[in-house]
Amino acid sequence: HVQLVESGGGSVQAGRSLRLSCTASGMTWSRYCMAWFRQSPGKEREGVAGIEGDGATAYSDSVRGRFTISLDNANQVLYLQMNKLKPDDSAMYFCAASLGFCGNWAFLYGGVADFRHWGQGTQVTVS
C-alpha cells in the first residue's frame, strides 16, 4: 500500500524560498517515476517537476531554473526546492508516483498525468 505525505508548505513573500517534502511508504523508489504537481482555484492541475529512479529530472517551462526536484533515497523523501517564488506559484502542491519510467515527460507539458498514487497536498501562498 503506497502512501505519500507532503509537508513544508506555507506563506512567503515573493522572491523567497520554500522546500517541500514528500515522505513515501510502501514502495521502492527506484521503480517509480516521482513528480510534483500543483493546482490553484479555477486552474487545471499542472505538472511542475519529475524525477526517475536513475536520477533523471525534468521541469515545466514555468519553473525551470527556479525549482529543483531531488530524492533522498536513504530516507525515502522526495523534495522540491523552490527559489525565487512568484505570486503565480501559489497553489496546492501534490506529490505523485507512477510505477515505471517517466516516459516522454508529457505530464510536464500539458499531457495526461497517469499517476496512480497521490498525496493529500500542501498549500503554498506567495504574496
Side-chain angles (χ1 to χ4, degrees):
H1 174 65
V2 175
Q3 187 173 11
L4 303 173
V5 179
E6 302 96 334
S7 62
S11 297
V12 296
Q13 292 183 328
R16 303 299 291 269
S17 299
L18 276 176
R19 188 178 75 164
L20 305 183
S21 301
C22 173
T23 302
S25 60
M27 57 182 285
T28 301
W29 284 106
S30 61
R31 299 179 61 194
Y32 283 79
C33 169
M34 303 295 298
W36 286 98
F37 291 81
R38 67 186 182 187
Q39 188 168 22
S40 53
K43 294 186 178 180
E44 293 187 357
R45 184 177 56 196
E46 173 189 17
V48 297
I51 186 167
E52 292 183 328
D54 63 359
T57 60
Y59 300 89
S60 67
D61 292 342
S62 61
V63 307
R64 188 178 299 111
R66 299 187 298 122
F67 290 12
T68 302
I69 189 171
S70 62
L71 285 171
D72 178 345
N73 286 304
N75 296 301
Q76 293 204 261
V77 181
L78 176 72
Y79 295 107
L80 184 68
Q81 177 67 43
M82 305 185 296
N83 298 328
K84 300 180 181 179
L85 283 162
K86 306 175 182 179
D88 282 351
D89 295 319
S90 297
M92 184 72 78
Y93 283 72
F94 301 89
C95 68
S98 176
L99 186 63
F101 293 101
C102 294
N104 60 4
W105 308 93
F107 60 91
L108 298 175
Y109 308 109
V112 175
D114 187 18
F115 285 76
R116 180 175 180 180
H117 308 289
W118 294 84
Q120 83 290 348
T122 186
Q123 179 68 40
V124 172
T125 303
V126 184
S127 59

